[in-house]
């Protein structure tokens, strides 16, 4: 395959991946240092933000 054209990477996947990952880690850090019992929904959302951030970064580096 002589004419393999590399796929263009979407910069928004990188930006959103970093934002979601950073925000999710920030929320998890806040929940882990809280003295009161945290809300389960907050924990699920924070883990979801981290997972979606990792997925966006994976999409960026794989150029999906």
């Amino acid at each position: 395959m002589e004419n393999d054209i590399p796929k263009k990477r979407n910069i928004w996947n990188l930006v959103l991946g970093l934002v979601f990952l950073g925000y999710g880690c920030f929320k998890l850090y806040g929940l882990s240092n809280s003295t009161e019992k945290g809300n389960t929904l907050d924990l699920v959302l924070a883990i979801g933000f981290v997972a979606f951030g990792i997925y966006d970064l994976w999409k960026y580096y794989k150029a999906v």
Side-chain angles (χ1 to χ4, degrees):
M1 295 186 195
E2 299 171 10
N3 295 332
D4 279 342
I5 300 171
K7 293 182 180 180
K8 186 176 179 184
R9 292 181 174 175
N10 188 354
I11 193 71
W12 284 109
N13 285 338
L14 176 64
V15 171
L16 289 176
L18 291 174
V19 167
F20 284 136
L21 186 63
Y23 181 72
C25 289
F26 174 74
K27 291 297 283 184
L28 283 175
Y29 178 75
L31 289 171
S32 68
N33 286 336
S34 177
T35 56
E36 61 189 40
K37 186 177 180 184
N39 190 356
T40 306
L41 181 61
D42 290 340
L43 181 64
V44 169
L45 286 175
I47 291 171
F49 276 116
V50 170
F52 193 65
I54 292 171
Y55 174 69
D56 270 345
L57 291 174
W58 176 81
K59 282 193 324 187
Y60 175 76
Y61 286 112
K62 290 295 182 179
V64 174

